[in-house]
Amino acid sequence: HQIYFPFKPYQCQNDYMNKIIEALKNNENALLESPTGTGKTLSLLCAALSWLKSERDKLIGKPSETPPKIIYTSRTHSQLAQVQKEMKNTAYKPRTVIIASRDHMCVNSSVNMNKGTALNAACRSSQKAINPCMYFKNRDMAQKRIPWEPLDIEDLHMYAKREAVCPYYGMKDRVAGADLVFMPYNYLIDEKIRENFKISFENAILIFDEGHNIP
């Protein structure tokens, strides 16, 4: 199985990637650890994405089959931003999406002065106002105006403000078409959040990075 790695891997990286491929090929769970500083995240991304590419290549011309995707979770958005930075060092170019709450995503200054449930309520009200939220009104344009490359929340805000589109709904709408979905792992574990984002786990690889933090 060919894995494109940005430099000659150390033996521990080879071992780590081989275990990932073995688990994916056998449809197994894997609990993997590697010492700090051994390029664990890069190894994890390169191995999982190489497998994803080979599986998706097999489905070319078979539109009825659900293509596999990777759901990559970590504890916080700042940890995910580090993973996305590593992603840019790989040879792989998957369509990526990052899922986050309105608290993280909202760029409407008259709405995002609120927090939590108050922000959710203000968002819904602004959609129905006489002059509705400009970003929400352009919701469908997010598909064309935001690139599929790995974008952290700061990048998304920049694009959203420049292109006048809603990053919260734009990312939500894109989940079904993504190869790789980034999110904090409570979004996966919490049933209500999971239902809100309508994330399908069919044929998905679930990665819990920094999994020792999960209670």
Side-chain angles (χ1 to χ4, degrees), residues 50-193:
S50 74
W51 182 87
L52 185 75
K53 184 181 184 306
S54 75
E55 289 300 301
R56 286 194 161 223
D57 287 348
K58 290 175 195 172
L59 294 179
I60 293 169
K62 299 177 184 173
S64 61
E65 291 193 38
T66 304
K69 70 170 58 159
I70 297 170
I71 298 175
Y72 194 112
T73 71
S74 194
R75 191 165 60 92
T76 64
H77 280 294
S78 59
Q79 285 173 326
L80 288 170
Q82 291 301 315
V83 176
Q84 289 172 303
K85 201 178 282 182
E86 286 275 27
M87 176 84 223
K88 292 174 184 176
N89 296 323
T90 76
Y92 299 97
K93 300 286 179 263
R95 292 172 300 175
T96 67
V97 160
I98 184 159
I99 295 299
S101 66
R102 288 178 178 86
D103 280 295
H104 286 98
M105 291 286 211
C106 182
V107 289
N108 183 332
S109 56
S110 64
V111 174
N112 67 14
M113 60 179 71
N114 300 284
K115 293 288 172 225
T117 51
L119 173 53
N120 294 344
C123 170
R124 291 190 188 99
S125 297
S126 74
Q127 295 168 29
K128 299 168 188 167
I130 295 167
N131 292 314
C133 172
M134 165 183 71
Y135 302 101
F136 178 77
K137 205 162 64 173
N138 293 338
R139 174 177 181 168
D140 295 342
M141 298 306 293
Q143 302 292 342
K144 295 175 186 167
R145 294 182 182 176
I146 298 178
W148 282 101
E149 65 196 54
L151 300 172
D152 63 24
I153 287 170
E154 283 180 23
D155 294 333
L156 261 180
H157 282 194
M158 182 193 73
Y159 274 106
K161 287 174 182 172
R162 194 178 74 197
E163 304 294 339
V165 294
C166 175
Y168 174 76
Y169 283 105
M171 291 291 105
K172 247 181 119 168
D173 294 344
R174 273 185 162 189
V175 169
D179 305 318
L180 174 57
V181 181
F182 289 108
M183 68 176 93
Y185 42 61
N186 63 312
Y187 286 42
L188 200 62
I189 296 165
D190 188 302
E191 200 174 337
K192 286 181 180 169
I193 303 176

Side-chain angles (χ1 to χ4, degrees), residues 5-60:
F5 203 67
F7 46 83
K8 186 171 170 56
Y10 302 122
Q11 187 57 48
C12 63
Q13 291 169 330
N14 260 331
D15 294 343
Y16 193 86
M17 290 190 284
N18 287 335
K19 286 294 179 191
I20 292 164
I21 297 296
E22 183 185 321
L24 293 172
K25 282 184 173 175
N26 296 327
N27 198 21
E28 292 173 340
N29 295 322
L31 184 61
L32 303 165
E33 62 179 344
S34 189
T36 303
T38 53
K40 171 181 66 70
T41 301
L42 190 60
S43 303
L44 182 55
L45 285 168
C46 289
L49 288 167
S50 74
W51 182 87
L52 185 75
K53 184 181 184 306
S54 75
E55 289 300 301
R56 286 194 161 223
D57 287 348
K58 290 175 195 172
L59 294 179
I60 293 169

